[in-house]
Amino acid sequence: MKLELGYVNIKDVVIGDKSEIADGILTVNARELTNLVLEDDRIARVLFDVAKPGESVRITPVKDVIEPRVKVEGNGDVFPGTVSGVDMVGFGKTNVCKGMAVVTAGKIVGFQEGIIDMSGPGAEYSPFSKLINLVMVCEPVEGLKQHAYEEAVRFAGFKVAKFIGSLAKNLTPDYTETYEVENFKENSEKFKGLPRVGYVHMLQSQGLLHDTYVYGVDAKKILPTVLYPTEVMDGAIVSGNCVSACDKNPTYVHENNPIVYDLFKEHGKTINFCAHIITNENVYLADKQRSSNFAAKLCEMLALDAVIISEEGFGNPDADLMMNCTKIEKKGIKTVLVTDEYAGRDGGSQSLADADPLGNACVTAGNANEVILLPKMDKVIGTLDYVNKIAGGNENSLRADGSIEIEIQAITGVTSEVGFHNLTACF
């Protein structure tokens, strides 16, 4: 499977009369985008705004962040199964609008929405503060059920991102990158002698409002399966969940999963990256056991020497993480875990809800309970009405002067469990 990504650098985003990309400037017609969003009769209103790096702007409550992409050559289209057909993707050519994102926001559904500050200390924590963000604030029709509103906003974001991506379809990319992975027989023969490495990619799927879609199928309904890693680059996996903002994987992160990209860099050099296994995170014990059994079985069937396992969320999913880890280790396959921690504000509490001695190689994405003071911003896109209610906040988080004292778990992407963040460690 071979995919060529062509990157079209977006230098600015403006709202104007005609939707186009010219000389690196994305111009969007707000009325055109509004009509597109309001095709879904579950959405009553949508407002578009632009937030740029360095501005005194706060976006909240953030639901998803999406990078516009478009198929140029090859089968299907981006975001298959959601706003496109269900044809297989991950090969051919895809153009990427680099340097910007579509951000969906609006009335809170669960309590686990997020904040993106475009300047100040909060901006240093969120990777999305470095992007030019086209923000769409959606309001539901009166009486709409929460889960229906959440789905409508998510899918509206995909539609807008797909539309913007289409503007780059006939453009010459500023630069290109090619990713190729062979089938199992070919890579076994071609890279004989290199360690066979896989990626077990855990997807959030723990009940209502904890949705992740794979080709449009809610991950709750899947058994662990194998993808070509290039498929995620075309949006085969998209976010639909309301887990804590710090460690949810927005769609942008799925499209740019750094574990996938970094494994590709070593493919054929130091390792044979031969399997991208996706699995879900479950509520009930029997479901956890079933999925972890299948994940371990696939690793064994593919004769893997080592796997990286990444989690999404915390608490209950820690049990899924450890089940995957221990069952794979017991098959003689080495594991490395990637997760974040909830170790209390002083860092002295137990970091994970579950642990096992076999999980002895772990990469931490940081402690989400650390507290930060976010200064007042000159402009808010969305509303501050829910700041005290979101995960990481409390009844005193929003101060009278407009500043916010809150745990960093309220910041979108700050402790990404695939490593898509800005945190570093000193030793």
Side-chain angles (χ1 to χ4, degrees):
M1 186 75 84
K2 181 178 179 180
L3 177 66
E4 181 180 295
L5 294 182
Y7 295 96
V8 177
N9 290 328
I10 303 299
K11 304 171 186 176
D12 199 3
V13 177
V14 296
I15 295 176
D17 296 329
K18 181 182 179 181
S19 296
E20 64 177 354
I21 299 174
D23 299 322
I25 310 299
L26 167 64
T27 302
V28 294
N29 181 305
R31 182 181 296 277
E32 191 173 15
L33 293 182
T34 298
N35 291 338
L36 180 66
V37 171
L38 295 185
E39 288 176 354
D40 190 328
D41 59 12
R42 297 174 295 181
I43 299 177
R45 290 173 297 280
V46 59
L47 297 176
F48 288 90
D49 208 336
V50 179
K52 302 177 183 180
E55 293 182 336
S56 182
V57 175
R58 173 165 294 141
I59 310 168
T60 188
V62 173
K63 297 181 179 298
D64 198 8
V65 184
I66 311 160
E67 183 171 63
R69 299 188 172 199
V70 62
K71 292 302 296 179
V72 177
E73 292 180 11
N75 219 30
D77 206 345
V78 294
F79 312 125
T82 52
V83 292
S84 300
V86 295
D87 290 329
M88 300 295 295
V89 295
F91 61 97
K93 294 182 179 181
T94 297
N95 279 357
V96 181
C97 294
K98 206 65 185 172
M100 63 86 58
V102 173
V103 176
T104 54
K107 182 180 178 181
I108 199 166
V109 174
F111 57 88
Q112 295 171 312
E113 313 284 9
I115 297 171
I116 297 175
D117 279 358
M118 301 304 294
S119 63
E124 297 177 14
Y125 281 84
S126 176
F128 305 113
S129 66
K130 308 301 186 292
L131 303 174
I132 305 170
N133 293 310
L134 176 65
V135 187
M136 43 188 293
V137 182
C138 300
E139 291 294 327
V141 296
E142 188 174 349
L144 187 67
K145 296 290 186 181
Q146 288 176 304
H147 68 277
Y149 165 57
E150 184 68 13
E151 180 187 75
V153 174
R154 299 283 179 169
F155 282 46
F158 302 145
K159 289 172 69 174
V160 170
K162 180 180 177 181
F163 175 86
I164 291 172
S166 70
L167 302 177
K169 185 168 186 176
N170 297 318
L171 298 182
T172 300
D174 292 284
Y175 64 101
T176 61
E177 293 178 345
T178 301
Y179 298 89
E180 184 173 9
V181 62
E182 301 76 10
N183 64 39
F184 299 134
K185 180 181 179 181
E186 291 171 342
N187 68 38
S188 296
E189 296 171 349
K190 186 175 181 180
F191 302 116
K192 188 175 182 179
L194 289 179
R196 295 174 60 81
V197 176
Y199 173 33
V200 175
H201 184 184
M202 295 170 56
L203 305 176
Q204 180 55 243
S205 56
Q206 293 182 293
L208 198 62
L209 302 178
H210 288 63
D211 308 323
T212 303
Y213 300 100
V214 182
Y215 280 92
V217 176
D218 193 328
K220 299 178 189 63
K221 301 176 181 179
I222 71 168
L223 286 172
T225 190
V226 182
L227 299 180
Y228 282 108
T230 51
E231 291 177 72
V232 300
M233 299 174 179
D234 274 342
I237 301 175
V238 296
S239 176
N241 65 66
C242 290
V243 299
S244 283
C246 63
D247 57 14
K248 77 164 66 179
N249 290 325
T251 298
Y252 191 104
V253 172
H254 287 300
E255 295 170 283
N256 293 278
N257 187 316
I259 294 176
V260 170
Y261 282 80
D262 286 351
L263 287 172
F264 260 122
K265 289 178 183 177
E266 295 303 314
H267 180 55
K269 300 174 184 176
T270 60
I271 63 169
N272 178 3
F273 177 28
C274 53
H276 183 177
I277 299 168
I278 59 170
T279 185
N280 49 17
E281 299 171 350
N282 297 285
V283 176
Y284 298 109
L285 179 60
D287 295 325
K288 293 177 183 291
Q289 292 171 330
R290 181 188 300 110
S291 288
S292 56
N293 286 342
F294 268 77
K297 179 185 72 173
L298 288 173
C299 291
E300 182 181 41
M301 290 176 66
L302 298 171
L304 299 181
D305 297 304
V307 299
I308 297 173
I309 308 174
S310 69
E311 183 181 9
E312 183 175 11
F314 69 99
N316 190 296
D318 294 346
D320 302 78
L321 178 70
M322 287 303 160
M323 283 187 184
N324 286 321
C325 168
T326 57
K327 291 177 181 180
I328 294 170
E329 284 273 354
K330 287 176 181 178
K331 292 186 179 296
I333 302 167
K334 297 298 184 182
T335 64
V336 175
L337 311 182
V338 187
T339 181
D340 61 354
E341 304 176 54
Y342 286 76
R345 294 187 172 190
D346 62 355
S349 300
Q350 180 175 319
S351 297
L352 301 176
D354 194 11
D356 190 280
L358 291 175
N360 58 9
C362 184
V363 178
T364 177
N367 178 20
N369 292 134
E370 291 183 16
V371 178
I372 188 171
L373 180 62
L374 302 176
K376 179 182 182 297
M377 293 285 128
D378 294 338
K379 179 180 178 181
V380 174
I381 302 178
T383 177
L384 296 175
D385 291 350
Y386 307 108
V387 165
N388 290 347
K389 299 178 181 179
I390 59 178
N394 59 65
E395 61 182 5
N396 299 312
S397 287
L398 182 59
R399 296 179 172 183
D401 64 358
S403 62
I404 301 171
E405 184 177 23
I406 204 161
E407 293 182 1
I408 63 171
Q409 67 171 297
I411 298 174
T412 300
V414 63
T415 60
S416 165
E417 291 167 292
V418 296
F420 194 91
H421 57 53
N422 297 334
L423 294 183
T424 58
C426 298
F427 297 93

